Amino acid sequence: MDSATSDARTPLGASADQGFKIVVVGGFGVGKTTLVRSVSEIRPLNTEETMTRAGEGVDDVRQVRGKTGTTVAFDFGRISLDARNVLYLFGAPGQERFWFLWDRLFAGTLGAVVLVDTRRIDDSWYAIDRLEHHGTPFIVACNDFGGPIRASADVREALDLDPQVPLVDCDARSRESAKQVLITLVQHVKHRYADPSVRTGPPQQELV
């Protein structure tokens, strides 16, 4: 398994002139920071702070007892597609008190990944609702926390997913797994904007 910190970090080439924005959203403690860290080619910028007892009265930590840090603004990473095109990754905070930031993060977004912990699937509804409201293309990725794997049909039914929305399993700690999630998203976006009949949101920058 690839480590979230073992990959080489490379500078951005001087010829890069086109950036595409991807947002990773989901509930509290589903692995958004981990996914951005594992796949970014640079050392990610993050705004993670240590969780304290005072926060237990604000954030529901019953299902994330082993979690010691939490994102309080957003995570940021980068992937170079080629010499001229770059993906910028933004990991949104999962706590309900920070949801007001999401609408701003979605502005200008090519697409989004909704990361899901299937033990707490209800935590994903708000993210999907906001993305559908904005007309933002998205996929759903179920992060592996070592428990029983839920059948895809059950997850789709629980989230009331449109049949055209891709649903994949992943391990946010693995660079290769995280890359496959992003590849799935890019392919979904490309297919969506190649077919005007499935375009429900405002026009966005075309994928090259």
Side-chain angles (χ1 to χ4, degrees), residues 134-200:
H134 283 272
T136 303
F138 68 93
I139 69 166
V140 174
C142 297
N143 195 10
D144 179 11
F145 283 89
I149 302 298
R150 291 188 62 171
S152 295
D154 293 340
V155 175
R156 283 191 173 276
E157 182 178 2
L159 293 174
D160 193 24
L161 283 184
D162 186 288
Q164 295 180 340
V165 175
L167 174 66
V168 298
D169 293 320
C170 75
D171 183 341
R173 300 166 297 177
S174 166
R175 179 174 174 81
E176 283 304 314
S177 182
K179 282 169 60 178
Q180 287 304 311
V181 169
L182 296 181
I183 289 170
T184 300
L185 174 61
V186 170
Q187 290 174 338
H188 175 57
V189 171
K190 186 175 182 179
H191 172 73
R192 171 170 169 160
Y193 288 107
D195 183 356
S197 67
V198 299
R199 182 181 300 176
T200 59

Side-chain angles (χ1 to χ4, degrees), residues 60-140:
D60 185 357
V61 299
R62 290 172 296 178
Q63 300 297 322
V64 289
R65 289 298 184 185
K67 188 172 175 61
T68 59
T70 184
T71 301
V72 296
F74 59 84
D75 305 302
F76 174 77
R78 189 195 75 207
I79 302 173
S80 295
L81 300 177
D82 53 38
R84 306 192 69 87
N85 300 286
V86 179
L87 285 181
Y88 295 112
L89 308 177
F90 291 82
Q95 306 96 307
E96 184 174 351
R97 57 195 166 108
F98 293 125
W99 285 354
F100 72 93
L101 295 171
W102 288 13
D103 287 345
R104 290 184 179 274
L105 278 177
F106 293 160
T109 298
L110 180 71
V113 175
V114 178
L115 200 58
V116 172
D117 178 350
T118 56
R119 302 169 301 177
R120 299 179 287 122
I121 204 161
D122 291 1
D123 293 352
S124 307
W125 288 348
Y126 183 78
I128 291 173
D129 176 74
R130 297 316 299 163
L131 289 166
E132 289 179 340
H133 173 78
H134 283 272
T136 303
F138 68 93
I139 69 166
V140 174

